[in-house]
Amino acid sequence: MTTGTPPPTARRRSRARTFVPLAVAAWAVLEIWLLILVADVAGGLTVVILLAAGIVLGAAVIKSAGRRAFRNLTETLQRMPGQPGADGSSPATPESGRGNGFLMLGGLLIMIPGVISDVAGLLLLVPPVRTALSRYAERSLDRRMRTAAPGGFSDAFQQARIHRPDGKVVQGEVIRDDTPPDDRGPNDEPRPPLTP
């Protein structure tokens, strides 16, 4: 007996769910192999010192980037309209704040034990590389938000960014009059607006 509904199909496993674990495993094996090669050439003590130095340097980079991000956030909030000393213009993103996320990622990659992650982390510490990657990420995110289906997370983010760029909230009350004017009862008089 058929009901007219097609049988449920199994969801296809995405390529990312298949290849990301394989890529992480291959990366870990390669990192271990390279650390063994460096230990053979330079000695085990040198590798331990390099790993400890990587942890210290990575922590210092992350701490510095966090302080810079906090300082930029504080400056932006102080320039918001309504704050004392604000000029009323919309706050712009400072150029010194570009690439803080990539700077933190660079510090994290330096902290992870391994030669490849250290090289990638050191590359992210170079300002032109960080700037190029942040511009690429901005363009990619903007392109994806434009092509996203309506009703998703990116649509809500886009609406919030367009309709409330300064964060102001206007309180009000919506009055809907569904009844025709001749069917009004004694309790259907207009009400005063709500006050906070």
Side-chain angles (χ1 to χ4, degrees), residues 47-81:
V47 170
V48 171
I49 291 172
L50 285 175
L51 293 177
I55 290 172
V56 170
L57 178 65
V61 168
I62 289 174
K63 185 177 180 180
S64 170
R67 284 182 178 169
R68 194 167 95 174
F70 186 74
R71 185 178 60 242
N72 290 338
L73 176 67
T74 305
E75 289 173 1
T76 302
L77 290 176
Q78 287 175 351
R79 279 188 256 129
M80 293 289 288

Side-chain angles (χ1 to χ4, degrees), residues 109-120:
L109 286 173
I110 291 172
M111 287 180 74
I112 295 174
V115 177
I116 297 172
S117 62
D118 287 347
V119 169

Side-chain angles (χ1 to χ4, degrees), residues 2-9:
T2 60
T3 60
T5 59
T9 58

